[in-house]
Every structure is written in structure tokens, then in C-alpha cells.
């Protein structure tokens, strides 16, 4: 009799108690979930960035394949193919290509297209360390663009001071250790890439804020990707080295194809993550995601 009463009590009260306990645990851990998710995303992006640099360091010198414009075009086409595939299976709804939206996205489309070419050029031809050094200034410059473009951002003075201090220390440590021989074009392309990338991310965030409630993030990114693909395709037609990208490829080698596929997929994923972060949150958040590994690595080595 006593056992039956205990069993009945457990059946009645235990589910409620468990629900209350689970709700209390979730309520206490809820503030930590966004921070934990952000850390996971940053770690995954940093690992992808490290692997991408490793693959580029093997693929481009070994096979003498420094054709940045066709590679940048294929990366954009891969992202476009992924969006169309998600739309085809019903996971994402995409509106038709909008010329009006494409006009508002022309600045980040042009800046992002040129910057993606410069980034691949740096992997192939810039080995002094100047390009990644200047790329660490991306969050600070994105913060400046956010104020210049009057974007809605949190004016956290303490965070801004910490960001500037970490950037200054990271750049100073790397510069103190010295750079390798700097190619003349690096003096031009490194600051140009930094300027274009920061402007592209800030402008993307500006368009996302103006279109919020009217156009989804995926529609904006779809229009941006199509526009960039058209611009890079036109640049491929104008570039004199583009035909050599076909003739100089070792298409019979499985290693060549494997390295190229890895380079393209990793690069496409990185571009997707940074752009979606800029559209969803802010240009500063996207810049921090892109530069987190470069900013923290000198500090980690110092410890």
C-alpha cells in the first residue's frame, strides 16, 4: 500500500518538478547561450581560416596557380548555388532578383568583389606579413565607418577602448618581431583591401538596417551574390590572365582538384559567414569574426 502511494506521488509530482527544475536551469543559463554560440562560431571560423591559409600555402606555390579572379568568381558561384539549392528544397524562400536592391548593394558588391580578389592575391603573392598585419585593423576601421554612416550601434565606450587597445598591442607585437621582404604592390594592395573590406561590411549593415522588416537577410544576400558574380565574371573577361587559368591547371591530377576544391569551399564558407554576420548583426561583429584569429594569436604567443 505504501509503495503504491509513492508510485502515484511520483507519477503526479515528478514531471511537474522536473519541468520547474528545467525551467530554472534554462533561465539561469539563457544569458550565457548567445555568448557561447558566438564563441563557437568564432572558433569554427578561425579553424576554417587557418585551414584555408594552409591549403593556399600548398596549392598556389606548388601548382603555380595564382589566378585570383577566376577563383574568387567560383567562390561566389558556390555560395549562389548553395542558396539556390536551399531554395529548391524549401528551406529558404528567395524573391526574384531585384534591380532596385542591387542598386543599393552596388557599393558592397563592388568593394567585396575587389577585396576577395585581393585576398586571394595576397595568399598567392604576398608573403611578407604586411597584408595580415593591416587586416587586424579591420574592426577599428569598421567601428569608424559605423559612426560615419550613422549606423545604429551600441555606444559602449569601454568596449571600444578595449578593442583599440587589443588591436594596438597585437599590431605592435607583430611589427616588433619584424616582417619579411615586402613586395612593392603590398604597400598599395594591403591598405586598399582593408579600406574596401571595412566599407563593404559597414554598407551591408546599413542596407540591412534600411531593409529590415521588408526584405529578408537571404534575399539581400542572394541579390548581393548575384551582383558580385556578374561583376567578377565581367572582370574575368577583362583580365588578360583569365584564359591561362584553364590552360595552366593540372586537371588530370586528383591532388590538384582536391586542393582546389578545399580552397574554394573554405573560402566560400568564410565569405558567407562574414557577410551573413554583417547583415544579421553589424559590420563590427563581422569584422571581429574575420579578425579574431589574427588579433588574438600574437597575444596568445606572448603568454
Amino acid at each position: 500500500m505504501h509503495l503504491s502511494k509513492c508510485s502515484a506521488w511520483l507519477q503526479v509530482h515528478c514531471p511537474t518538478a522536473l519541468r520547474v527544475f528545467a525551467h530554472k536551469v534554462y533561465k539561469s543559463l539563457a544569458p550565457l547561450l548567445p555568448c557561447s554560440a558566438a564563441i563557437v562560431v568564432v572558433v569554427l571560423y578561425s579553424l576554417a581560416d587557418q585551414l584555408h591559409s594552409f591549403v593556399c600555402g600548398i596549392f598556389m606555390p606548388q601548382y603555380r596557380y595564382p589566378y585570383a579572379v577566376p577563383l574568387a568568381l567560383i567562390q561566389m558561384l558556390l555560395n549562389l548555388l548553395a542558396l539556390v539549392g536551399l531554395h529548391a528544397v524549401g528551406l529558404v524562400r528567395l524573391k526574384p532578383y531585384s534591380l532596385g536592391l542591387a542598386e543599393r548593394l552596388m557599393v558592397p558588391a563592388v568593394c567585396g568583389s575587389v577585396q576577395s580578389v585581393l585576398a586571394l592575391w595576397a595568399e598567392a603573392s604576398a608573403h611578407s606579413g604586411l597584408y595580415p598585419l593591416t587586416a587586424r585593423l579591420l574592426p577599428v576601421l569598421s567601428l569608424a565607418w559605423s559612426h560615419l554612416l550613422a549606423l545604429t550601434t551600441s555606444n559602449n565606450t569601454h568596449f571600444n577602448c578595449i578593442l583599440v587597445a587589443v588591436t594596438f598591442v597585437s599590431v605592435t607585437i607583430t611589427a616588433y618581431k619584424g616582417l619579411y621582404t615586402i613586395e612593392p604592390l603590398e604597400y598599395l594592395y594591403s591598405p586598399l583591401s582593408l579600406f574596401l573590406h571595412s566599407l563593404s561590411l559597414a554598407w551591408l549593415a546599413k542596407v540591412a538596417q534600411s531593409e529590415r522588416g521588408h526584405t529578408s537577410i537571404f534575399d539581400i544576400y542572394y541579390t548581393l551574390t548575384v551582383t558580385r558574380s556578374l561583376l567578377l565574371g565581367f572582370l574575368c573577361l577583362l583580365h588578360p590572365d583569365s584564359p591561362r587559368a584553364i590552360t595552366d591547371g593540372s586537371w588530370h591530377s586528383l591532388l590538384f582538384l582536391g586542393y582546389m576544391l578545399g580552397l574554394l569551399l573554405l573560402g566560400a564558407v568564410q565569405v558567407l559567414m562574414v557577410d551573413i554576420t554583417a547583415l544579421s548583426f553589424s559590420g563590427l561583429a563581422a569584422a571581429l569574426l574575420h579578425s579574431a584569429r589574427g588579433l588574438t594569436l600574437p597575444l596568445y604567443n606572448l603568454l
Side-chain angles (χ1 to χ4, degrees):
M1 186 69 179
H2 180 71
L3 291 175
S4 63
K5 287 183 179 180
C6 291
S7 176
W9 186 89
L10 287 174
Q11 289 178 359
V12 173
H13 295 281
C14 195
T16 304
L18 285 176
R19 285 197 298 268
V20 172
F21 177 74
H23 177 71
K24 289 182 178 180
V25 171
Y26 173 78
K27 193 174 181 180
S28 61
L29 295 178
L32 300 177
L33 293 179
C35 182
S36 302
I39 292 174
V40 170
V41 171
V42 170
V43 170
L44 290 177
Y45 183 89
S46 300
L47 291 175
D49 183 38
Q50 185 176 8
L51 185 57
H52 181 261
S53 299
F54 174 76
V55 173
C56 288
I58 295 177
F59 173 74
M60 291 181 171
Q62 181 173 344
Y63 293 99
R64 297 179 182 177
Y65 201 84
Y67 305 111
V69 180
L71 292 175
L73 172 60
I74 298 174
Q75 285 182 358
M76 285 297 107
L77 293 177
L78 286 175
N79 282 336
L80 182 59
L81 181 63
L83 285 176
V84 173
L86 291 175
H87 174 69
V89 298
L91 294 178
V92 173
R93 293 183 179 180
L94 296 176
K95 295 180 181 178
Y97 182 78
S98 170
L99 289 176
L101 183 58
E103 183 180 352
R104 292 190 290 275
L105 288 170
M106 189 54 66
V107 171
V110 173
C111 293
S113 299
V114 177
Q115 191 276 329
S116 63
V117 173
L118 292 178
L120 286 169
W121 171 86
E123 295 286 357
S125 306
H127 306 295
S128 67
L130 180 62
Y131 186 91
L133 180 65
T134 56
R136 295 174 192 174
L137 300 172
L138 183 62
V140 175
L141 204 56
S142 297
L143 182 63
W145 278 118
S146 298
H147 290 288
L148 289 175
L149 296 176
L151 295 177
T152 304
T153 55
S154 59
N155 296 320
N156 192 329
T157 306
H158 296 290
F159 173 78
N160 295 342
C161 292
I162 292 174
L163 175 62
V164 173
V166 169
T167 303
F168 176 77
V169 171
S170 178
V171 171
T172 302
I173 292 174
T174 305
Y176 178 77
K177 291 181 178 179
L179 302 174
Y180 296 101
T181 304
I182 301 176
E183 297 291 335
L185 286 177
E186 289 186 69
Y187 289 108
L188 173 64
Y189 287 166
S190 296
L192 178 61
S193 176
L194 174 64
F195 173 80
L196 293 175
H197 202 181
S198 60
L199 178 58
S200 173
L201 295 178
W203 206 286
L204 271 181
K206 182 179 179 66
V207 174
Q209 284 188 8
S210 64
E211 294 292 328
R212 192 158 294 160
H214 306 284
T215 309
S216 71
I217 292 175
F218 291 104
D219 288 326
I220 298 174
Y221 189 66
Y222 172 72
T223 303
L224 175 71
T225 307
V226 171
T227 307
R228 281 182 179 174
S229 299
L230 294 174
L231 291 172
L232 288 170
F234 181 69
L235 186 58
C236 276
L237 294 177
L238 295 179
H239 202 282
D241 288 340
S242 294
R244 295 178 57 189
I246 300 176
T247 59
D248 290 356
S250 301
W251 306 108
H252 60 280
S253 172
L254 291 179
L255 277 177
F256 173 85
L257 296 175
Y259 279 126
M260 174 177 278
L261 181 61
L263 182 152
L264 294 172
L265 289 177
L266 290 169
V269 168
Q270 287 181 275
V271 172
L272 175 66
M273 292 177 67
V274 170
D275 289 341
I276 291 297
T277 302
L279 291 171
S280 303
F281 300 101
S282 66
L284 177 59
L288 286 172
L289 174 64
H290 180 72
S291 306
R293 175 172 168 261
L295 286 173
T296 56
L297 192 59
L299 302 177
Y300 177 79
N301 293 334
L302 186 64
L303 297 176

